[in-house]
Amino acid sequence: MKDFIEKAFGITVTDAKKLQGYENANYRINAEKNDYVFKTYTYSEALNDILKAENETLLFLGEAFDTKIPKPIPFQDHTYLKTRDTDHGKESCRMLSFLPGEFLGDVAHTELLFKSIGTFLARIDLKLKDFHNYTLQARQWEWDMQYFHLNKKYIEDIPNPKNRNIVHYFFNQFEAIVSPLAPKLRKQIIHNDANEWNLLVQNGKVSGIIDFGDLAHSFLINELAIAITYACYDKEDPLAWAVIILKAYHETLPLEENEIHVLYSLIAARLCVSVCNSAHARKVDPNNSYASVSEKAAWEMLYRWLAINPLKAENMFREAAGFPGLKEVSIADVVQRRQQHISTVLSLSYKTPIHMVGAAFQYMYDASGNTFLDAYNNIPHVGHSHPKVVRAAQKQIARLNTNTRYLYDELADYAEKLLHHFPTELNRVFFVNSGSAASDLALRMAHQHTAYDHIMVMELGYHGNTQTAMDISDYKFNNPKGKGQKHHIIKTPLPDTYKGKYGKEQANAGKQYGIDAAAQIENSSFPIAAFICEPIVGCAGQIPLAKGYLKEVYPAIRAQGGVCISDEVQTGFGRLGGHFWGFEAQDVVPDMVVLGKPIANGHPMGAVVCTEAIAASFEKGVEFFSSFGGNPVSCVTAAAVLEVLKEEKLQENAKAVGQYYMVHLKQLMAKYACIGDVRGAGLFIGVEIVKDHTQLPDTALANHLKNELRNNHILISTDGPFDNVIKTKPPLCFSKENAMEVVANIDSILGMHYKKRTT
């Protein structure tokens, strides 16, 4: 190597050292007068064309940027690129000048330094505006974000399924936001890789840039997106640092509004390109540490980026560039417009309602640019806008959507997948459009099967919004505005070990409650068609059925000819952590199960699962038909939910995070006398707020907590007959860090509350 270089360039080499590289081998060359970088590449005709284009670009920039970019060093014959034979095969080689300075990745970051990044890159791009090269214009590859889709083939190389789905989500956002605007975005040749190991720093400012190997004729805004990505991906507040670079760039090379609009998505896209290629490189060559040197930081920023409302990012970018912020409609105007045609009987959450415009996983985005941590919504079970669920629905609705009077595979496919999660006794399923419709259908089936009229329900239970569901929902019919208990409804007391007849301190409290309920059944003047209850009674204030309760009640119901119905609309699909279905915690098997809410992650769907005997009885009655129940779009969407639950191990996550959450909430209970009880399972938790050292409800404080959490951008709600129970039942992708954020905010709010009381 030394002899070749000395002969080829007419220099005396004093030292040669191999440098770390990604795909090609580079050498630091010390000579008598100057230092150089000698670069070698496995030969290909296509690569040689790219290397020639790179040399032409460097020569074009050379006069204006002199010592700030590498200079191609001519061979003795005045060429800049040679091909030679080696022991390892044919290779191309060339020499570049060596630039002094420290890498951006090795120095302390300051506002002045970040301004210089923006200014320096804008100057480079201004000069390159007048440079044209058809080789670069024809180049299509993964590291050019206008060809972002080329990276899709690497997503499956990412080992962690949750990480894979974050990347899929940002691919969806790119296709929705960037792709439609692509024809309007300015294009030119750009450096395309201003990362922390390519930018050089001297005296607190950018002094140069190296490695033009990623040159691309691409969107101009990609230059800025890439620089922001690598400069900010180790920052706790990447947006604050990003606007410094953007403002300086814009002052030298003004940006257009469309470019600013897509910048958030392009930064996410570059992070995705980075992690996709790192995963692929590790799969191909597990020993290549250079390929994944920045991977950890990229993943950290990708998760931080997800927690940033895109509107907030765009408005901060617009402000930095001097554009007016995006127009925001006042909440009062949004409410007024809604109420022109929508009845106020549809209530709004919080004293100040929230105008939502987007959501992703455990985050929701409002129209003001705020991000809300969703610790409340149990319908987007595997996460808002989960890409696998979205993709399944999109693909199917573009192909076929019809009703069950036709044959299509999706119906049987999903039925098999769903029933796989049930005991073998429960082997028939009927699909509808909601949990309410499922409750209604379950009662119809119970009446048909038993020929009885009376229904036994749980105190404070809730089963839906149809008339039949309202009739069996004590939470609704016993409301001051409700119509009262109908003659065919039998209500049994809630087996509440916090405030009920049998407390936590009493051994076998659940058994005692069950014995009482069994006696009520046996003493009933009328045979009971069905007993329906939730494993955790949500509207009662997230109250779990006392352990052992159903083992007494179910046999008593069956002994007099009735059927047992478990309402799993809120508790099913792994939410409780330790069990896939809530009834499993009671060590019983119901005759029917009602499903809804999370079954299809927010797509309107519900189901009744039952025994073969009940289905056979129902078949003797009039035909059952639901226009949309079991349609192929619903079926593939719901199937995707089951797949995500398994792939991302979300039931296990619900268990681990739920236990962590409960431990820390109970620590608050020991600290604040207003927390009377913390209860639940997995990610289905209730915190009862009471007047200090009593069991008397403190509705005002509970609502204060709810609204203050909302003001702190955390979504949580209240429930219970006195609306004094804080309920938290977030998407199952909720993390321990998310749980701790909720706990810390409750701690802070209650701390302020007690401080005010004592002053």
Side-chain angles (χ1 to χ4, degrees):
M1 177 72 71
K2 177 183 176 185
D3 292 343
F4 172 79
I5 292 173
E6 290 184 335
K7 183 177 179 181
F9 293 98
I11 62 174
T12 300
V13 175
T14 59
D15 190 29
K17 179 182 178 183
K18 189 173 183 179
L19 304 173
Q20 263 196 321
Y22 189 18
E23 293 177 334
N24 55 301
N26 302 325
Y27 301 85
R28 168 79 180 271
I29 304 299
N30 300 119
E32 290 179 324
K33 294 182 179 180
N34 297 295
D35 293 341
Y36 307 96
V37 176
F38 184 65
K39 302 175 75 71
T40 65
Y41 313 80
T42 301
Y43 173 81
S44 77
E45 186 175 351
L47 178 59
N48 260 24
D49 289 340
I50 295 294
L51 294 174
K52 288 174 185 176
E54 184 181 335
N55 281 340
E56 289 173 15
T57 306
L58 291 171
L59 291 168
F60 174 81
L61 290 172
E63 184 177 343
F65 290 90
D66 193 23
T67 60
K68 299 181 185 301
I69 63 166
K71 292 180 181 178
I73 306 300
F75 289 85
Q76 291 276 54
D77 62 1
H78 305 295
T79 62
Y80 292 98
L81 181 67
K82 282 200 178 296
T83 303
R84 67 184 189 128
D85 294 318
T86 71
D87 294 339
H88 306 292
K90 199 173 184 181
E91 73 174 17
S92 301
C93 58
R94 61 187 182 130
M95 186 95 91
L96 300 175
S97 62
F98 177 82
L99 299 189
E102 296 179 272
F103 289 118
L104 177 65
D106 287 333
V107 301
H109 291 177
T110 66
E111 184 175 344
L112 179 64
L113 175 57
F114 271 47
K115 285 180 179 177
S116 74
I117 294 172
T119 302
F120 182 86
L121 291 175
R123 288 185 57 221
I124 290 272
D125 289 339
L126 271 175
K127 182 66 177 176
L128 286 173
K129 181 182 177 183
D130 299 321
F131 179 68
H132 304 282
N133 184 285
Y134 292 111
T135 298
L136 295 178
Q137 284 182 245
R139 190 182 196 186
Q140 296 184 20
W141 67 320
E142 293 87 349
W143 289 94
D144 180 352
M145 286 193 292
Q146 67 179 313
Y147 304 116
F148 184 45
H149 64 280
L150 295 177
N151 293 277
K152 277 190 175 181
K153 59 183 177 289
Y154 299 146
I155 296 178
E156 293 308 309
D157 293 338
I158 298 170
N160 183 301
K162 183 177 181 180
N163 288 346
R164 283 201 301 271
N165 285 318
I166 295 290
V167 171
H168 274 301
Y169 168 79
F170 281 117
F171 265 90
N172 288 351
Q173 297 307 299
F174 186 96
E175 290 166 9
I177 295 165
V178 181
S179 295
L181 287 175
K184 299 180 180 180
L185 299 175
R186 290 181 290 178
K187 291 177 70 174
Q188 65 167 70
I189 290 171
I190 60 174
H191 179 277
N192 197 46
D193 195 21
N195 68 45
E196 76 275 39
W197 307 114
N198 287 339
L199 287 170
L200 298 172
V201 178
Q202 289 182 315
N203 302 317
K205 293 183 179 181
V206 170
S207 59
I209 190 168
I210 61 171
D211 194 354
F212 281 67
D214 283 8
L215 279 168
H217 185 269
S218 190
F219 306 141
L220 173 63
I221 189 62
N222 284 351
E223 191 86 281
L224 189 57
I226 292 163
I228 288 172
T229 299
Y230 292 110
C232 301
Y233 68 4
D234 61 344
K235 304 292 185 290
E236 287 294 326
D237 186 1
L239 268 185
W241 290 90
V243 296
I244 299 170
I245 299 173
L246 183 149
K247 185 175 182 180
Y249 186 100
H250 178 74
E251 288 171 352
T252 300
L253 201 173
L255 297 165
E256 296 178 353
E257 288 190 72
N258 278 336
E259 293 170 331
I260 288 175
H261 178 62
V262 299
L263 184 54
Y264 171 91
S265 296
L266 288 171
I267 292 168
R270 183 61 177 202
L271 290 164
C272 291
V273 171
S274 177
V275 297
C276 282
N277 280 272
S278 292
H280 179 67
R282 185 170 51 253
K283 179 181 177 181
V284 173
D285 181 7
N287 298 318
N288 187 349
S289 59
Y290 180 81
S292 56
V293 66
S294 302
E295 187 177 12
K296 184 175 183 291
W299 279 117
E300 288 174 355
M301 182 171 173
L302 202 56
Y303 275 86
R304 286 194 193 102
W305 212 240
L306 185 72
I308 294 171
N309 186 328
L311 282 178
K312 177 181 180 179
E314 183 171 355
N315 274 327
M316 288 182 68
F317 294 155
R318 291 176 69 89
E319 181 182 359
F323 290 113
L326 297 170
K327 186 178 179 182
E328 185 182 341
V329 182
S330 74
I331 292 295
D333 289 344
V334 176
V335 171
Q336 183 181 21
R337 180 170 180 247
R338 169 180 165 127
Q339 293 179 351
Q340 284 179 348
H341 305 292
I342 305 299
S343 170
T344 56
V345 76
L346 290 171
S347 62
L348 288 164
S349 293
Y350 310 109
K351 290 179 180 177
T352 304
I354 308 170
H355 183 192
M356 292 297 188
V357 295
F361 298 95
Q362 65 267 53
Y363 301 107
M364 298 189 76
Y365 310 128
D366 77 356
S368 300
N370 299 304
T371 298
F372 289 83
L373 175 62
D374 188 358
Y376 169 32
N377 287 290
N378 62 335
I379 296 175
H381 196 60
V382 298
H384 293 275
S385 306
H386 194 288
K388 186 157 194 167
V389 179
V390 169
R391 194 163 59 248
Q394 288 175 331
K395 186 176 178 181
Q396 184 60 43
I397 203 168
R399 184 171 62 224
L400 172 70
N401 199 23
T402 185
N403 62 61
T404 52
R405 288 200 168 105
Y406 299 95
L407 294 172
Y408 46 88
D409 293 337
E410 292 80 9
L411 179 66
D413 287 346
Y414 179 61
E416 290 169 4
K417 291 175 182 176
L418 177 63
L419 293 176
H420 174 74
H421 291 276
F422 281 94
T424 55
E425 303 96 308
L426 296 168
N427 54 21
R428 291 291 185 272
V429 59
F430 296 81
F431 293 115
V432 288
N433 309 126
S434 68
S436 297
S439 293
D440 196 295
L441 176 60
L443 268 290
R444 175 181 160 188
M445 294 171 73
H447 290 309
Q448 174 73 24
H449 180 68
T450 65
Y452 298 158
D453 295 326
H454 285 70
I455 304 296
M456 187 172 184
V457 303
M458 179 61 65
E459 178 188 9
L460 295 173
Y462 173 71
H463 304 285
N465 60 20
T466 66
Q467 185 58 59
T468 298
M470 294 277 280
D471 288 347
I472 60 171
S473 298
D474 177 50
Y475 185 75
K476 290 294 185 181
F477 68 64
N478 200 36
N479 184 283
K481 296 181 180 179
K483 293 185 176 181
Q485 184 173 333
K486 293 193 173 179
H487 67 88
H488 67 288
I489 301 299
I490 300 167
K491 184 167 69 172
T492 194
L494 182 69
D496 179 4
T497 58
Y498 172 57
K499 291 188 295 186
K501 180 179 179 182
Y502 306 112
K504 294 176 183 176
E505 70 286 346
Q506 184 166 341
N508 299 320
K511 182 179 179 69
Q512 290 300 317
Y513 276 117
I515 290 171
D516 288 356
Q520 186 181 3
I521 295 163
E522 291 163 6
N523 295 329
S524 173
S525 302
F526 305 96
I528 298 171
F531 167 62
I532 183 170
C533 74
E534 307 153 83
I536 298 181
V537 188
C539 289
Q542 320 294 93
I543 297 179
L545 298 180
K547 190 170 180 60
Y549 175 74
L550 292 183
K551 294 205 78 166
E552 302 296 327
V553 179
Y554 275 16
I557 287 290
R558 288 168 176 152
Q560 51 89 68
V563 297
C564 304
I565 305 173
S566 184
D567 182 340
E568 299 279 350
V569 168
Q570 294 203 77
T571 55
F573 295 95
R575 172 162 294 281
L576 303 188
H579 304 281
F580 201 79
W581 307 113
F583 64 77
E584 294 172 315
Q586 291 275 325
D587 195 24
V588 296
V589 177
D591 304 299
M592 305 175 74
V593 178
V594 173
L595 305 175
K597 288 188 189 297
I599 188 172
N601 217 52
H603 182 84
M605 189 181 189
V608 176
V609 176
C610 66
T611 64
E612 190 171 355
I614 292 175
S617 296
F618 189 55
E619 289 163 8
K620 296 174 183 176
V622 296
E623 178 199 18
F624 166 73
F625 177 71
S626 170
S627 295
F628 303 109
N631 71 77
V633 174
S634 296
C635 288
V636 299
T637 305
V641 170
L642 291 178
E643 290 171 20
V644 174
L645 283 169
K646 181 178 179 181
E647 289 172 1
E648 297 189 15
K649 298 182 178 178
L650 291 182
Q651 182 181 342
E652 294 87 336
N653 187 67
K655 182 176 182 179
V657 175
Q659 288 173 345
Y660 179 87
Y661 206 176
M662 291 270 281
V663 164
H664 287 85
L665 287 168
K666 286 180 178 179
Q667 288 175 356
L668 292 186
M669 183 169 66
K671 184 176 180 180
Y672 298 107
C674 65
I675 299 179
D677 194 28
V678 174
R679 54 183 175 254
L683 289 174
F684 196 90
I685 299 171
V687 179
E688 183 138 356
I689 305 300
V690 297
K691 296 186 184 301
D692 288 4
H693 305 294
T694 74
Q695 291 186 340
L696 299 174
D698 194 334
T699 302
L701 180 55
N703 277 272
H704 172 72
L705 255 176
K706 174 179 71 175
N707 283 286
E708 283 301 300
L709 285 166
R710 173 254 180 268
N711 294 338
N712 293 350
H713 305 128
I714 294 173
L715 301 179
I716 225 160
S717 192
T718 50
D719 217 330
F722 303 102
D723 202 32
N724 70 309
V725 178
I726 299 291
K727 62 178 176 180
T728 175
K729 41 186 183 174
L732 298 197
C733 53
F734 213 64
S735 69
K736 289 181 179 179
E737 291 77 14
N738 298 147
M740 201 62 231
E741 183 179 346
V742 178
V743 172
N745 273 269
I746 292 175
D747 189 8
S748 176
I749 294 164
L750 290 180
M752 289 295 296
H753 169 74
Y754 279 96
K755 185 177 180 181
K756 287 180 180 177
R757 280 176 46 176
T758 57
T759 57

